[in-house]
Amino acid sequence: MSQTSQPVADPLSIAALDTEKHVAASGWDQNPRLFALVPTSDLVAREPHLRAQLKGADLAEGALSAIEQEDLPKTSNLESLLGGIAWPESVVGAALAVERIVVPPEAERDLPVHAESAVDALAAHPKRQDVRLLVAVTRDGQSRCLLRQRAHDRDDQVALGEDIAPGLVHALRATLQG
């Protein structure tokens, strides 16, 4: 896992970082947000007026653009939401931003049996940390995971890796298999 202060040049990492910054601009306490990743060249071919807004890495060969999928149904089960999604072939990847609470392993001992009470206990834990994960995957098997902590909420403090959230990578990748 690395911090994003080091330059990244591959299209998936650039798209993931840009998407995470877009989500971060709306602050914390957001619902999950889902994005289709499409080749920027295909998007510009369909929407030529967008070319004027592109610069730098957006113009690089293989660049990807994220298109937010608005009006996602509200659900407490992210797996069921992702299980009902299938993308057309024009979508080469997908990205998902989701917020989570992270606690030390010992906090999970002696939790109440009732699920809602357990969530409340974890949310009230003094060592809890709020994090936002952004997971991006492509049909060809690439993945990028970004992690931003509320306590260190700066663009240069976002961790980047491939296996930060393997379960989400797997679930999001499944939406691309048709």
Side-chain angles (χ1 to χ4, degrees):
M1 186 164 54
S2 65
Q3 297 296 322
T4 59
S5 57
Q6 299 175 351
V8 293
D10 67 282
L12 182 57
S13 293
I14 291 168
L17 286 164
D18 287 348
T19 304
E20 196 284 330
K21 284 179 188 175
H22 169 76
V23 172
S26 296
W28 287 88
D29 303 317
Q30 298 182 50
N31 290 320
R33 293 173 69 177
L34 183 66
F35 301 82
L37 298 177
V38 300
T40 301
S41 59
D42 292 356
L43 183 61
V44 170
R46 286 192 304 270
E47 304 284 341
H49 67 280
L50 295 176
R51 180 174 296 284
Q53 299 173 23
L54 302 179
K55 58 186 178 298
D58 297 331
L59 301 170
E61 184 175 334
L64 298 171
S65 291
I67 302 171
E68 187 160 7
Q69 307 303 294
E70 297 178 356
D71 301 324
L72 285 179
K74 302 277 189 253
T75 180
S76 60
N77 187 329
L78 194 55
E79 290 77 16
S80 68
L81 173 70
L82 292 176
I85 294 174
W87 301 101
E89 287 300 315
S90 59
V91 173
V92 299
L96 174 71
V98 62
E99 295 180 11
R100 292 287 184 250
I101 296 171
V102 178
V103 294
E106 65 272 10
E108 296 181 21
R109 283 186 236 129
D110 302 322
L111 284 175
V113 176
H114 188 264
E116 191 172 307
S117 298
V119 169
D120 291 343
L122 291 173
H125 194 279
K127 292 187 179 178
R128 76 176 256 174
Q129 292 187 33
D130 295 333
V131 299
R132 178 181 303 113
L133 291 164
L134 183 118
V135 176
V137 300
T138 59
R139 287 187 192 275
D140 66 6
Q142 296 180 66
S143 65
R144 298 295 179 277
C145 298
L146 283 73
L147 181 117
R148 180 185 293 252
Q149 296 178 324
R150 188 186 294 237
H152 304 283
D153 192 4
R154 295 185 4 214
D155 289 347
D156 66 347
Q157 295 294 307
V158 176
L160 171 68
E162 292 185 23
D163 60 355
I164 296 172
L168 283 177
V169 168
H170 177 75
L172 193 56
R173 192 173 278 144
T175 69
L176 295 166
Q177 298 169 353

